[in-house]
Amino acid sequence: VPDTTPTPPFSRLAEVYDLVMREVEYHEWLEFALEVLATQAWPGVLYPGRMQVLDLACGTGNSTVPLLDYGFQVIGLDASAQMLAVARHKLPAITFIEANFLTFKLQQRFDLVMCVFDSLNNLTEPQDLATTFANIAKHLNPAGWLVFDINTKLGVRELWDENTWAGELEGAVGRVSYHWTHRYDPITELGWVTARCMTESDEFTEQHGERGYDPHELLPMLAKAGFVEVLFFEYPDFAHPTPETPRVWCFAQTLTPSLERTG
Ligand SMILES: C[S@@+](CC[C@H](N)C(=O)[O-])C[C@H]1O[C@@H](n2cnc3c(N)ncnc32)[C@H](O)[C@@H]1O
């Protein structure tokens, strides 16, 4: 009888993550982000080799690859040892650190922190998101940027309301069938995915919870954490978010040195 006890989030999923996510537009996401940062005259667009970039919630390194391809100096950070094991195998020359959003403490500062694929929605307590923003701000150089995508409340409600994703895939890890069900709890306002995956030899189930965050909730949190410039866009057309937007991209900048001096 297979053990159906859910495994912790992003543990066993690491084995099949790259196969399930094989069509995700990681390179397009970075191009989109850099187009926005170009409008803000961020020097990293022209001089990537001089820029220190943190791929926060790097997972299996899929979001790290386009950053390296563009020429940035990158390190990755994630809480999941299993996801990081895949990342280290894929990119053996890169430093990957196992740590948590809320408590990570690194000796270096960054010019850009990227956190993609709605990873911050995993913080189901708003206070934890506020703490994370403050921690990120501490790790950014003056005029550094934090870029992240995040599901809005509507996004979590609609995406997660009784939807099912199922299919069968074949890749380096063999044949994988997946059956993911989504559920939205209107009382707690949390979305839950129950991800059941069957490999040729085994099966497992993981449960992930997400909370949606709207721009008007993010703005005061980011301001309190020390971000001075905050922009929101829809992907891929750079539209300004509306109440119908399911996922937003947020660009938040720390204070420039000249502003710091003049107060
Ligand atoms: C959807 S995956 C995204 C991974 C990668 N950025 C990508 O785009 O494929 C979310 C990642 O967030 C990480 N994560 C979730 N909560 C975290 C936390 N509190 N601290 C650090 N990492 C966390 C998970 O371990 C997982 O690898």
Side-chain angles (χ1 to χ4, degrees):
V1 180
D3 180 5
T4 51
T5 315
T7 56
F10 300 103
S11 56
R12 295 283 319 264
L13 193 66
E15 296 162 33
V16 299
Y17 187 85
D18 286 3
L19 183 58
V20 176
M21 303 305 171
R22 75 208 173 289
E23 286 176 359
V24 173
E25 298 176 339
Y26 291 106
H27 278 85
E28 288 84 349
W29 286 350
L30 180 62
E31 280 167 29
F32 170 83
L34 292 179
E35 263 196 63
V36 173
L37 292 176
T39 67
Q40 302 301 306
W42 184 57
V45 176
L46 290 180
Y47 306 107
R50 297 185 195 165
M51 298 292 143
Q52 301 287 339
V53 178
L54 175 64
D55 185 10
L56 191 65
C58 60
T60 62
N62 288 347
S63 46
T64 319
V65 170
L67 293 167
L68 293 168
D69 288 349
Y70 195 78
F72 294 121
Q73 301 188 47
V74 190
I75 70 167
L77 184 150
D78 199 282
S80 160
Q82 293 90 337
M83 296 288 273
L84 288 174
V86 179
R88 288 184 182 121
H89 182 74
K90 194 182 295 170
L91 301 167
I94 303 305
T95 300
F96 289 104
I97 294 163
E98 185 181 332
N100 196 291
F101 296 150
L102 285 89
T103 52
F104 75 90
K105 198 169 180 180
L106 306 178
Q107 295 314 313
Q108 77 181 98
R109 284 187 171 225
F110 298 89
D111 303 295
L112 172 66
V113 173
M114 291 282 292
C115 187
V116 302
F117 215 168
D118 55 37
S119 299
L120 292 176
N121 289 107
N122 289 287
L123 295 170
T124 54
E125 290 295 330
Q127 183 51 50
D128 287 348
L129 183 58
T131 303
T132 296
F133 285 150
N135 197 17
I136 293 170
K138 272 193 232 156
H139 285 85
L140 277 167
N141 283 321
W145 285 92
L146 162 65
V147 177
F148 62 96
D149 61 341
I150 196 158
N151 289 320
T152 62
K153 284 196 180 314
L154 174 115
V156 168
R157 201 167 58 234
E158 290 203 337
L159 174 71
W160 303 65
D161 196 14
E162 307 296 332
N163 279 323
T164 298
W165 298 340
E168 197 170 271
L169 298 164
E170 180 117 33
V173 291
R175 188 168 317 137
V176 177
S177 310
Y178 63 96
H179 189 271
W180 294 15
T181 51
H182 300 89
R183 177 171 65 80
Y184 178 72
D185 180 343
I187 309 279
T188 59
E189 298 187 328
L190 297 184
W192 291 96
V193 58
T194 304
R196 183 167 166 232
C197 298
M198 288 143 282
T199 64
E200 280 163 26
S201 56
D202 201 4
E203 80 166 76
F204 62 87
T205 301
E206 281 193 21
Q207 253 191 352
H208 300 195
E210 283 204 5
R211 177 177 297 284
Y213 293 96
D214 289 340
H216 72 86
E217 298 169 279
L218 296 169
L219 272 171
M221 284 190 206
L222 287 162
K224 192 158 180 230
F227 291 94
V228 286
E229 178 81 29
V230 181
L231 310 166
F232 292 101
F233 294 100
E234 286 182 11
Y235 173 88
D237 58 3
F238 306 99
H240 289 290
T242 71
E244 312 307 317
T245 304
R247 184 187 287 204
V248 292
W249 279 74
C250 179
F251 297 75
Q253 190 182 31
T254 51
L255 212 57
T256 63
S258 57
L259 284 174
E260 256 172 351
R261 271 201 301 279
T262 57

